[in-house]
Tab-separated table of all heavy atoms in Angstrom:
chain	number	residue	atom	x	y	z
A	1	ASP	N	175.678	168.217	117.815
A	1	ASP	CA	176.685	169.266	117.744
A	1	ASP	C	177.119	169.435	116.292
A	1	ASP	O	177.427	168.459	115.614
A	1	ASP	CB	177.888	168.885	118.620
A	1	ASP	CG	178.844	170.039	118.820
A	1	ASP	OD1	179.414	170.523	117.822
A	1	ASP	OD2	179.033	170.458	119.977
A	2	GLN	N	177.154	170.678	115.817
A	2	GLN	CA	177.451	170.917	114.405
A	2	GLN	C	178.802	170.353	113.992
A	2	GLN	O	178.965	169.827	112.880
A	2	GLN	CB	177.412	172.421	114.109
A	2	GLN	CG	177.414	172.771	112.629
A	2	GLN	CD	176.157	172.326	111.919
A	2	GLN	OE1	175.060	172.458	112.435
A	2	GLN	NE2	176.307	171.785	110.717
A	3	SER	N	179.785	170.406	114.895
A	3	SER	CA	181.106	169.868	114.558
A	3	SER	C	181.062	168.358	114.393
A	3	SER	O	181.828	167.787	113.614
A	3	SER	CB	182.127	170.253	115.627
A	3	SER	OG	181.802	169.673	116.878
A	4	ASP	N	180.158	167.677	115.123
A	4	ASP	CA	180.013	166.228	114.970
A	4	ASP	C	179.381	165.873	113.633
A	4	ASP	O	179.488	164.735	113.173
A	4	ASP	CB	179.163	165.654	116.103
A	4	ASP	CG	179.937	165.548	117.407
A	4	ASP	OD1	181.177	165.611	117.353
A	4	ASP	OD2	179.299	165.393	118.462
A	5	LEU	N	178.730	166.852	113.029
A	5	LEU	CA	178.063	166.627	111.745
A	5	LEU	C	178.941	167.079	110.579
A	5	LEU	O	179.194	166.305	109.652
A	5	LEU	CB	176.733	167.380	111.734
A	5	LEU	CG	175.703	167.015	110.672
A	5	LEU	CD1	175.242	165.572	110.825
A	5	LEU	CD2	174.504	167.955	110.770
A	6	THR	N	179.450	168.323	110.650
A	6	THR	CA	180.137	168.893	109.490
A	6	THR	C	181.542	169.393	109.789
A	6	THR	O	182.151	170.053	108.950
A	6	THR	CB	179.312	170.061	108.907
A	6	THR	OG1	179.144	171.077	109.917
A	6	THR	CG2	177.940	169.577	108.459
A	7	GLY	N	182.076	169.108	110.993
A	7	GLY	CA	183.439	169.513	111.308
A	7	GLY	C	184.465	168.608	110.646
A	7	GLY	O	184.126	167.714	109.862
A	8	SER	N	185.737	168.812	110.956
A	8	SER	CA	186.803	168.028	110.322
A	8	SER	C	186.668	166.538	110.633
A	8	SER	O	187.075	165.686	109.840
A	8	SER	CB	188.174	168.540	110.777
A	8	SER	OG	188.296	168.465	112.195
A	9	ASN	N	186.104	166.208	111.796
A	9	ASN	CA	185.844	164.819	112.160
A	9	ASN	C	184.343	164.515	112.188
A	9	ASN	O	183.899	163.591	112.866
A	9	ASN	CB	186.461	164.495	113.516
A	9	ASN	CG	187.977	164.464	113.463
A	9	ASN	OD1	188.561	163.851	112.571
A	9	ASN	ND2	188.615	165.146	114.395
A	10	GLY	N	183.579	165.303	111.446
A	10	GLY	CA	182.138	165.108	111.411
A	10	GLY	C	181.739	163.930	110.538
A	10	GLY	O	182.439	163.581	109.576
A	11	ILE	N	180.613	163.313	110.862
A	11	ILE	CA	180.198	162.134	110.093
A	11	ILE	C	179.722	162.503	108.695
A	11	ILE	O	179.807	161.686	107.779
A	11	ILE	CB	179.116	161.339	110.848
A	11	ILE	CG1	177.868	162.188	111.108
A	11	ILE	CG2	179.672	160.788	112.154
A	11	ILE	CD1	176.706	161.404	111.708
A	12	TYR	N	179.224	163.738	108.513
A	12	TYR	CA	178.730	164.114	107.186
A	12	TYR	C	179.866	164.518	106.254
A	12	TYR	O	179.773	164.329	105.038
A	12	TYR	CB	177.704	165.251	107.292
A	12	TYR	CG	176.567	165.099	106.310
A	12	TYR	CD1	175.441	164.336	106.625
A	12	TYR	CD2	176.620	165.697	105.055
A	12	TYR	CE1	174.403	164.185	105.726
A	12	TYR	CE2	175.586	165.546	104.150
A	12	TYR	CZ	174.480	164.784	104.493
A	12	TYR	OH	173.456	164.620	103.580
A	13	THR	N	180.916	165.069	106.800
A	13	THR	CA	182.068	165.458	105.981
A	13	THR	C	183.060	164.315	105.812
A	13	THR	O	184.053	164.458	105.099
A	13	THR	CB	182.766	166.682	106.589
A	13	THR	OG1	182.854	166.524	108.005
A	13	THR	CG2	182.001	167.953	106.276
A	14	ASN	N	182.793	163.185	106.459
A	14	ASN	CA	183.586	161.960	106.284
A	14	ASN	C	182.637	160.777	106.080
A	14	ASN	O	182.656	159.804	106.843
A	14	ASN	CB	184.473	161.725	107.514
A	14	ASN	CG	185.501	162.813	107.723
A	14	ASN	OD1	186.583	162.782	107.133
A	14	ASN	ND2	185.166	163.795	108.559
A	15	PRO	N	181.797	160.843	105.041
A	15	PRO	CA	180.724	159.850	104.904
A	15	PRO	C	181.214	158.437	104.627
A	15	PRO	O	180.469	157.476	104.834
A	15	PRO	CB	179.901	160.384	103.729
A	15	PRO	CG	180.887	161.177	102.915
A	15	PRO	CD	181.789	161.815	103.929
A	16	GLY	N	182.447	158.285	104.167
A	16	GLY	CA	182.959	156.961	103.873
A	16	GLY	C	183.478	156.222	105.090
A	16	GLY	O	183.843	155.047	104.997
A	17	SER	N	183.500	156.890	106.245
A	17	SER	CA	184.037	156.276	107.463
A	17	SER	C	182.967	155.434	108.158
A	17	SER	O	181.804	155.830	108.233
A	17	SER	CB	184.552	157.355	108.416
A	17	SER	OG	185.600	158.090	107.794
A	18	HIS	N	183.388	154.270	108.671
A	18	HIS	CA	182.461	153.287	109.219
A	18	HIS	C	182.748	153.011	110.693
A	18	HIS	O	183.814	153.323	111.210
A	18	HIS	CB	182.589	151.954	108.468
A	18	HIS	CG	182.200	152.013	107.030
A	18	HIS	ND1	181.054	151.430	106.542
A	18	HIS	CD2	182.807	152.597	105.957
A	18	HIS	CE1	180.971	151.640	105.239
A	18	HIS	NE2	182.028	152.337	104.858
A	19	GLY	N	181.776	152.393	111.366
A	19	GLY	CA	182.004	151.827	112.688
A	19	GLY	C	181.680	152.747	113.843
A	19	GLY	O	181.331	153.920	113.674
A	20	LYS	N	181.826	152.195	115.060
A	20	LYS	CA	181.461	152.925	116.276
A	20	LYS	C	182.277	154.208	116.432
A	20	LYS	O	181.795	155.182	117.025
A	20	LYS	CB	181.668	152.009	117.483
A	20	LYS	CG	181.225	152.608	118.823
A	20	LYS	CD	179.721	152.732	118.913
A	20	LYS	CE	179.285	153.411	120.214
A	20	LYS	NZ	179.629	152.629	121.415
A	21	ALA	N	183.511	154.213	115.913
A	21	ALA	CA	184.335	155.417	116.020
A	21	ALA	C	183.716	156.591	115.281
A	21	ALA	O	184.047	157.743	115.556
A	21	ALA	CB	185.740	155.145	115.482
A	22	TRP	N	182.803	156.297	114.357
A	22	TRP	CA	182.151	157.347	113.572
A	22	TRP	C	180.661	157.445	113.907
A	22	TRP	O	179.834	157.770	113.064
A	22	TRP	CB	182.394	157.115	112.089
A	22	TRP	CG	183.828	157.350	111.758
A	22	TRP	CD1	184.822	156.425	111.730
A	22	TRP	CD2	184.438	158.613	111.476
A	22	TRP	NE1	186.030	157.023	111.441
A	22	TRP	CE2	185.821	158.367	111.276
A	22	TRP	CE3	183.967	159.919	111.378
A	22	TRP	CZ2	186.718	159.393	110.977
A	22	TRP	CZ3	184.856	160.940	111.078
A	22	TRP	CH2	186.217	160.673	110.884
A	23	GLU	N	180.368	157.173	115.171
A	23	GLU	CA	179.019	157.373	115.720
A	23	GLU	C	179.055	158.582	116.642
A	23	GLU	O	179.982	158.732	117.443
A	23	GLU	CB	178.585	156.121	116.479
A	23	GLU	CG	177.188	156.199	117.079
A	23	GLU	CD	176.818	154.884	117.768
A	23	GLU	OE1	177.066	153.810	117.164
A	23	GLU	OE2	176.321	154.932	118.912
A	24	ARG	N	178.064	159.459	116.530
A	24	ARG	CA	178.055	160.685	117.307
A	24	ARG	C	176.756	160.807	118.116
A	24	ARG	O	175.695	160.404	117.641
A	24	ARG	CB	178.184	161.911	116.388
A	24	ARG	CG	179.464	161.930	115.552
A	24	ARG	CD	180.696	162.147	116.407
A	24	ARG	NE	181.922	162.234	115.617
A	24	ARG	CZ	182.743	161.222	115.374
A	24	ARG	NH1	182.462	160.022	115.875
A	24	ARG	NH2	183.835	161.383	114.652
A	25	PRO	N	176.830	161.353	119.345
A	25	PRO	CA	175.620	161.518	120.156
A	25	PRO	C	174.680	162.535	119.522
A	25	PRO	O	175.115	163.571	118.996
A	25	PRO	CB	176.157	162.012	121.506
A	25	PRO	CG	177.499	162.613	121.185
A	25	PRO	CD	178.052	161.834	120.029
A	26	ALA	N	173.389	162.243	119.572
A	26	ALA	CA	172.407	163.097	118.912
A	26	ALA	C	171.058	162.953	119.607
A	26	ALA	O	170.869	162.139	120.521
A	26	ALA	CB	172.287	162.733	117.431
A	27	SER	N	170.116	163.747	119.157
A	27	SER	CA	168.723	163.665	119.601
A	27	SER	C	167.856	163.298	118.409
A	27	SER	O	168.063	163.802	117.298
A	27	SER	CB	168.265	165.001	120.189
A	27	SER	OG	166.846	165.044	120.321
A	28	PHE	N	166.886	162.422	118.638
A	28	PHE	CA	165.954	161.954	117.609
A	28	PHE	C	164.543	162.320	118.052
A	28	PHE	O	164.114	161.953	119.143
A	28	PHE	CB	166.102	160.439	117.468
A	28	PHE	CG	165.076	159.766	116.583
A	28	PHE	CD1	165.307	159.595	115.226
A	28	PHE	CD2	163.889	159.268	117.122
A	28	PHE	CE1	164.371	158.950	114.426
A	28	PHE	CE2	162.960	158.616	116.331
A	28	PHE	CZ	163.194	158.461	114.978
A	29	GLU	N	163.819	163.071	117.208
A	29	GLU	CA	162.434	163.436	117.502
A	29	GLU	C	161.542	163.082	116.320
A	29	GLU	O	161.951	163.207	115.163
A	29	GLU	CB	162.287	164.947	117.739
A	29	GLU	CG	162.937	165.489	118.977
A	29	GLU	CD	162.888	167.014	119.009
A	29	GLU	OE1	161.899	167.570	119.513
A	29	GLU	OE2	163.844	167.640	118.495
A	30	ILE	N	160.320	162.662	116.613
A	30	ILE	CA	159.272	162.525	115.605
A	30	ILE	C	158.200	163.559	115.914
A	30	ILE	O	157.720	163.652	117.052
A	30	ILE	CB	158.664	161.113	115.589
A	30	ILE	CG1	159.695	160.098	115.087
A	30	ILE	CG2	157.417	161.073	114.709
A	30	ILE	CD1	159.183	158.669	115.050
A	31	LEU	N	157.836	164.333	114.905
A	31	LEU	CA	156.825	165.390	115.042
A	31	LEU	C	155.769	165.187	113.969
A	31	LEU	O	156.108	164.978	112.793
A	31	LEU	CB	157.466	166.776	114.874
A	31	LEU	CG	158.737	167.048	115.684
A	31	LEU	CD1	159.408	168.320	115.214
A	31	LEU	CD2	158.414	167.136	117.159
A	32	ASP	N	154.495	165.259	114.350
A	32	ASP	CA	153.416	165.017	113.400
A	32	ASP	C	152.420	166.162	113.453
A	32	ASP	O	151.704	166.337	114.443
A	32	ASP	CB	152.715	163.696	113.722
A	32	ASP	CG	151.661	163.324	112.681
A	32	ASP	OD1	151.567	164.029	111.660
A	32	ASP	OD2	150.940	162.337	112.894
């Protein structure tokens, strides 16, 4: 979710924040 990445509580806009509270659900894919 874009807000989980770059919103006010997003992990990318708060890169100094640590721990499980700053973990967000996502999808991981490998494409070759």
Side-chain angles (χ1 to χ4, degrees):
D1 192 298
Q2 192 66 42
S3 64
D4 284 343
L5 196 63
T6 60
S8 58
N9 290 313
I11 60 173
Y12 218 86
T13 43
N14 296 275
S17 299
H18 296 251
K20 184 70 184 296
W22 291 92
E23 181 178 315
R24 300 291 183 265
S27 166
F28 172 91
E29 292 172 88
I30 292 179
L31 311 168
D32 185 6

